[in-house]
Amino acid sequence: MQQTPRTWPQRGLKVVCISDTHNCHRNLTIPEGDILVHAGDWSYFGKEEHTIDFNDWLGSLPHKHKIVVNGNHESNALWKGKVKEMLSNATFLMQESTTVEGVKIFGTNFFWPVPMGGNPYYDQIPDDTEILVCHGPVKGFVDGNSGCPTLRTIVALKKPKLVISGHMHGAHGIEEGTDDCAGVTFVNAAICKGGYVSGWEPVVVYI
């Protein structure tokens, strides 16, 4: 069913989106922008040395705001309890929000897809979230037919302006929402294309 899109103000901001770099971050050419978002899986199987180098690399980038969330490769890492400290050159979000340039950004923890109504943690997403960052994609949009139905229900209800994810490497791209998600822009920002080798470019969105 087609629903009325939510109206968001034009911010005049350039958002650079990446995900699933899997320790290939130094191979990338990152466009300049106001906000850099990494939607998880910066490491290869949660290696701590990858996180240390990733943080150093983030510190070399010119973006005023850098937002990072967990991917599945980080969610069970031995160092997961100190990731905020390790990523000193970014704002790491895990079931929490930050506001930059007037934009509320909520970052989720990593969750595997579950049937509708099966993940109460998504209920923590505030109604006024403008950018939602979640490693796993929403069902039906740049998800490789493997997105989360519960997250789809929440996004249809909250209607953020932009949803940034990754995880499904082959589903890289950008897609405008339809039906119950009309007015939402969906990005799959995965960088690794085949296996764990970089091959996609960063996705740039203007909001």
Side-chain angles (χ1 to χ4, degrees), residues 20-24 27 41 43-45 72-73 169 192-199:
D20 299 86
T21 48
H22 292 294
N23 201 44
C24 295
N27 297 338
D41 275 8
S43 70
Y44 180 67
F45 290 101
N72 53 298
H73 281 240
H169 297 183
C192 283
K193 187 174 184 179
Y196 297 103
V197 178
S198 58

Side-chain angles (χ1 to χ4, degrees), residues 66-83:
K66 301 159 191 174
I67 308 297
V68 179
V69 302
N70 260 346
N72 53 298
H73 281 240
E74 293 83 41
S75 62
N76 292 315
L78 295 176
W79 41 264
K80 65 181 180 180
K82 57 179 183 178
V83 65

